[in-house]
Amino acid sequence: MSFVVGGALGGFIGLFNSSIAPHQTAVQMTTRETLIDMRKTIVSNAKQFATIGFMFAGVECCIESYRAKSDWKNSVYAGGVTGAMIGYRAGAKPAVFSAAGFAAFSYA
């Protein structure tokens, strides 16, 4: 479910982003080029948000199984782990900040 909802949200955000900021602005784009650019942006954002939703749901399920409890802490822990996994590509410090951000967002 998180995968599908994340993909839909990412598609909507991609549509919004592509409508206000096209990638190629040096030369006037044709309608076809604009639609192709919009499609690429929508698909890219949809994949990214779907992946984040999939990771969060999977991590939360694993944490809930491990803890054998179903409470609000599972979401916070899953947010922290998911944020750390996403931020780790940029290094240790960004992973810590990303983990804190995702955990705080999951708590709210």
Side-chain angles (χ1 to χ4, degrees):
M1 181 77 169
S2 298
F3 181 75
V4 174
V5 173
L9 178 66
F12 178 73
I13 290 174
L15 177 64
F16 179 74
N17 285 343
S18 66
S19 67
I20 63 170
H23 289 112
Q24 302 170 359
T25 56
V27 180
Q28 184 69 25
M29 294 171 53
T30 64
T31 303
R32 181 180 173 91
E33 291 171 337
T34 303
L35 292 174
I36 290 171
D37 183 49
M38 287 177 75
R39 184 189 67 190
K40 288 179 183 177
T41 305
I42 290 168
V43 169
S44 173
N45 281 334
K47 280 192 228 177
Q48 291 171 358
F49 274 82
T51 302
I52 290 170
F54 184 72
M55 286 172 51
F56 180 82
V59 169
E60 185 177 25
C61 185
C62 291
I63 289 173
E64 188 172 327
S65 297
Y66 180 76
R67 292 184 67 226
K69 293 181 183 178
S70 181
D71 58 1
W72 62 272
K73 293 179 185 178
N74 294 336
S75 295
V76 176
Y77 296 151
V81 171
T82 302
M85 289 189 327
I86 291 170
Y88 187 69
R89 292 176 55 194
K93 192 173 183 180
V96 170
F97 283 114
S98 181
F102 267 78
F105 186 76
S106 298
Y107 178 72

